[in-house]
Amino acid sequence: MPTSSASARTGLPVLVVLVALLSFLFPVTAYTADRGAWAPNVPYTVGDLVTYLGKGYDCRQSHTSLVGWEPPNVPALWLERTSAPDTQAPTAPAQLTSTAKNHESVTLSWSASSDDVGVTGYEVFVNGGATASATTAGATTVTVSGLAANTTYTFTVKARDAAGNRSAASAAHSTTTSPPPPVDTEAPSAPTGPRSTSVGSTSVSLAWNASTDNVGVTGYEVFVNGGATASATTTGATSATVSGLAANTTYAFTVKARDAAGNRSAPSVAVSVTTTNAPPTRSKVLVGYWHNFDNGSTNIRLRDVSAKFDVIQVAFAEPVGGAGSGTMGFTPYNSSVGDFKADIALLRSQGRRVLISIGGANGTIHLDDATARQNFVASMQSLITTYGFDGLDLDLEGSSLSLNGGDTDFRNPTTPRIVNLIQATRQLLDQNGSGFLLTMAPETAYVQGGMAAYGGPWGAYLPVIHALRDRLTYLHVQHYNTGTVTALDGRAYAQGTPDFHVAMAEMLLRGFPVGGNASATFPALRPDQVVIGLPSSPQAAGGGYTTPANVHKALDYLLKGQSFGGAYVLRQPAGYPGFKGLMTWSINWDQFTQFEFSNSHRAYLDTYP
C-alpha cells in the first residue's frame, strides 16, 4: 500500500471506510456467533457477538482485534446492540458430578448452560451457600477446598450472564469426602556416616548418608555442640555448611532427620572437627580468574584454589539465547551445583571473596533495550542468590561495549548498550547491599586507549567506570594482548615491560584527557581501586607476559617511587603507597606452572604492611 495515501495516514484503509458505510446502511443479518467478552489479538468474523462493559456488539467486518480497538472506539468494526435489556436467564447447568475428591476437597464438573446472549460464569453452592466461582463461560469445573474429612456435602451450580441474570440451580449432587489420612507417628531413621568434607577458619562443610521414613524424609537439622544451627530443607540435601564458627576451635556435629509430620529421628553419631587458623590480614590483594572450562591448562576444583589468592573471579557467566537476549547462564564445570555452592561457602569462610565474572572473549553481551536489561538483572540476581557470590565482575570484550556515533561525552553516555549496562549494574549493586563487590577487567583499548581517541571501542569502558566509580572495588585493566599504548608523557610503551605497567597504572591514578580534549579529563581513581592485570604464564595470553622480577621493578616504582631507570617517569615521584595489587589470568594457568605467579607475587605483596 502506498504510504502517501490518505487512508494510510489516518490508519483506516479506504476499503474499511466503504465497508463500514455499507454495513451501516445495509446491516448484515447473518448467523450470530456468541464470542463472549471482547479481547485483543483475537480474530473476529462478521456476525460475531461480543460483550464489552455490559453492552453487546455485533462484528461489522472481519478483523483481528488490537489494544485500542475496543468496540466503543471503532464503530467501523462494531455495532452496538440497541435492543431491549437482557432479562432472560441462562438455562440451569446439567449433569453435575464429582470427578475427584480427598479428605479436604472435591472437584466438580457439569455441562455448560446456554443463554440468548452468552453465559459469563458459574456459581457453586455448598449446602446452599456460595463458595467458589468459575469466571468464564468455558469453565465448567472447579475444586472446592477447605472441607472437613469424612463429611457429606451437597453441591448445586447456577449459571449467570453479563446482565446479571442467574439460572435456576442445577440438580443437587451429594458426595462424602474421604476419611482423614492416618496420623504419622513414625520417626525417620537416624542419619549415618556423618563426616566433614571441608574445613575453614570460620566454617565446616558436612555430609551424611540419607535417612529412611515410612512416608518420606523432608529435611535434616544439624546440631553444633548440641544446639541446632542449620537446616537442609529437601529430601535430597544430605550436606550443609555451618558458618560463623571460631578459628582453631573443635566442634562436635550431629544430624537429625525429620518428616512432614514433624517427627524427628534420633541423632547421628557425633563427628568432631577443628577449624583452621584465621587467614592473615593483607593490605595488598591478589586477584585471580578461575575459569569454568578446560583450555589445556588444568582443571582445578574451586575449593582447591591456592590460598594466596584473596579474590577469586569465577569465569564466566555467559548469555543464553543470543548476545542480545540479556539472559545470563552459568553451569559449573565438572561439578554439581551443590558441590560448587559448598566450594564457594568454604572459600568465603576462609575470608576470601568469590565473584561471578560476565562476558570474556567469547561471551558477547548486548543490552540494547529495556527488555534485555531486565532479563540481565533477573538472571544475574538468580545466579548470585543461588551460588552466594560476593560480587560482580564486568569482563566485557569485543562488541559488548562500543560507542555509537555522536556519543562523545563519557560523563553523559547515550549509547543504549552502555547506558543499560550502567543501569543494570547499579540495580544489582543496590539489590545486594553495600558489601557487594564490583570489579572490572577491560582491555587497555577500552580505557587508556580513550586518551588518543574516543569512539567505537576506544574508551568505551570510561563511561561505565565513571558512572559506577562510587561502588567500584577494583579496576584491573588487562596489561596483555594489547601491543603498544600511548601514556601521559605522549610516548608509546610496549606490553610486557616495567615501563608499560607503571605508565598504564599512573594514567588511572592521575587521570587523563579523553580524546585529546583537555577540558574532558577522566578523573583519577583512588589508589586502592587500581590493580594491574597480568598473565600468570606465557601460555596464558598471546602477549604481555612479564617475569616476576620485572613486575616487582614496576611495583617498587609505583608503590615507593624507587626507580628502576626506565624511560617512563612518574608524575608523582614518591609513588602511590595505596596502590592495591595484582590480578592474573588465570588461576588455572598458575597451577599449570607450579604456582610461579601466586608464590612469587604473594611473597612480594606481603612485604607491605
Side-chain angles (χ1 to χ4, degrees), residues 229-284:
T229 182
S231 295
T233 57
T234 65
T235 304
T238 55
S239 62
T241 297
V242 182
S243 303
L245 306 177
N248 196 28
T249 302
T250 299
Y251 293 91
F253 300 94
T254 55
V255 185
K256 291 183 180 180
R258 65 171 182 268
D259 62 20
N263 301 305
R264 283 166 170 76
S265 73
S268 68
V269 298
V271 56
S272 293
V273 183
T274 302
T275 53
T276 62
N277 291 323
T281 301
R282 295 163 172 166
S283 66
K284 305 300 179 188

Side-chain angles (χ1 to χ4, degrees), residues 190-207:
T192 60
R195 56 203 178 274
S196 65
T197 55
S198 65
V199 182
S201 60
T202 60
S203 71
V204 171
S205 293
L206 302 167

Side-chain angles (χ1 to χ4, degrees), residues 482-527:
T482 187
T484 60
V485 182
T486 302
L488 290 173
D489 60 2
R491 301 174 63 179
Y493 292 92
Q495 63 180 354
T497 64
D499 274 331
F500 183 85
H501 300 311
V502 174
M504 292 301 101
E506 194 174 38
M507 289 183 73
L508 304 177
L509 296 164
R510 296 283 289 185
F512 56 89
V514 177
N517 183 358
S519 64
T521 298
F522 181 77
L525 295 172
R526 300 190 315 269

Side-chain angles (χ1 to χ4, degrees), residues 182-191 210-220 232-238 256-265:
V183 177
D184 180 13
T185 59
E186 183 177 332
S189 64
S211 298
T212 58
D213 186 66
N214 63 317
V215 177
V217 175
T218 58
Y220 296 89
T233 57
T234 65
T235 304
T238 55
K256 291 183 180 180
R258 65 171 182 268
D259 62 20
N263 301 305
R264 283 166 170 76
S265 73

Side-chain angles (χ1 to χ4, degrees), residues 32-182:
T32 298
D34 185 356
R35 301 294 298 277
W38 179 91
N41 304 310
V42 174
Y44 290 106
T45 304
V46 173
D48 283 351
L49 169 66
V50 300
T51 57
Y52 186 78
L53 298 180
K55 296 182 179 181
Y57 293 87
D58 290 299
C59 182
R60 308 179 71 174
Q61 57 178 304
S62 300
H63 67 284
T64 297
S65 58
L66 297 173
V67 174
W69 289 13
E70 291 79 5
N73 299 338
V74 281
L77 302 179
W78 296 100
L79 177 66
E80 181 182 345
R81 288 200 166 189
T82 57
S83 56
D86 178 13
T87 59
Q88 182 175 331
T91 61
Q95 298 178 319
L96 175 63
T97 188
S98 55
T99 57
K101 64 182 178 180
N102 58 30
H103 66 285
E104 60 182 4
S105 69
V106 171
T107 299
L108 303 168
S109 69
W110 55 89
S111 299
S113 298
S114 60
D115 186 66
D116 61 325
V117 177
V119 174
T120 58
Y122 296 90
E123 294 173 337
V124 178
F125 296 81
V126 182
N127 297 338
T131 183
S133 296
T135 58
T136 66
T140 57
T141 183
V142 72
T143 297
V144 181
S145 303
L147 305 178
N150 200 28
T151 301
T152 299
Y153 291 90
T154 299
F155 302 94
T156 54
V157 182
K158 292 182 179 180
R160 64 172 184 267
D161 62 21
N165 301 304
R166 283 168 170 75
S167 73
S170 68
H173 172 74
S174 295
T175 189
T176 302
T177 52
S178 305

Side-chain angles (χ1 to χ4, degrees), residues 314-573:
V314 172
F316 294 101
E318 297 179 327
V320 294
S325 71
T327 302
M328 305 296 291
F330 172 78
T331 302
Y333 179 73
N334 273 358
S335 174
S336 68
V337 171
D339 286 345
F340 202 77
K341 290 166 63 176
D343 286 359
I344 292 174
L346 173 63
L347 294 179
R348 295 180 68 190
S349 75
Q350 296 168 351
R352 300 197 271 175
R353 311 300 293 274
V354 184
L355 283 66
I356 179 66
S357 181
I358 67 166
N362 299 321
T364 303
I365 302 166
H366 294 165
L367 302 186
D368 288 323
D369 53 41
T371 299
R373 183 183 72 238
Q374 292 163 2
N375 290 343
F376 177 82
V377 171
S379 57
M380 286 305 303
Q381 185 60 62
S382 177
L383 293 177
I384 291 163
T385 302
T386 297
Y387 291 97
F389 289 115
D390 292 300
L392 172 67
D393 174 66
L394 306 181
D395 186 356
L396 300 177
E397 302 178 18
S399 63
S400 292
L401 284 187
S402 182
L403 294 158
N404 288 350
D407 191 349
T408 59
D409 185 358
F410 72 88
R411 295 159 297 196
N412 298 287
T414 59
T415 302
R417 69 183 54 169
I418 290 176
V419 173
N420 285 318
L421 176 67
I422 293 169
Q423 293 175 351
T425 304
R426 177 71 68 180
Q427 185 173 342
L428 288 169
L429 292 170
D430 290 343
Q431 288 175 184
N432 290 281
S434 59
F436 193 71
L437 274 59
L438 172 65
T439 63
M440 303 182 196
E443 298 170 283
T444 54
Y446 292 79
V447 184
Q448 291 93 335
M451 184 176 77
Y454 187 68
W458 301 103
Y461 246 94
L462 295 179
V464 181
I465 299 167
H466 186 66
L468 299 170
R469 63 171 58 231
D470 63 308
R471 289 296 305 273
L472 179 66
T473 310
Y474 307 129
L475 175 68
H476 26 67
V477 176
Q478 301 174 29
H479 285 196
Y480 46 92
N481 296 341
T482 187
T484 60
V485 182
T486 302
L488 290 173
D489 60 2
R491 301 174 63 179
Y493 292 92
Q495 63 180 354
T497 64
D499 274 331
F500 183 85
H501 300 311
V502 174
M504 292 301 101
E506 194 174 38
M507 289 183 73
L508 304 177
L509 296 164
R510 296 283 289 185
F512 56 89
V514 177
N517 183 358
S519 64
T521 298
F522 181 77
L525 295 172
R526 300 190 315 269
D528 64 279
Q529 293 177 302
V530 181
V531 173
I532 290 176
L534 301 166
S536 58
S537 69
Q539 303 94 330
Y545 173 75
T546 312
T547 64
N550 280 331
V551 173
H552 299 165
K553 287 180 183 179
L555 294 178
D556 283 342
Y557 197 17
L558 268 176
L559 285 157
K560 299 183 290 189
Q562 181 179 313
S563 175
F564 53 86
Y568 184 80
V569 178
L570 279 175
R571 268 50 186 164
Q572 182 165 303

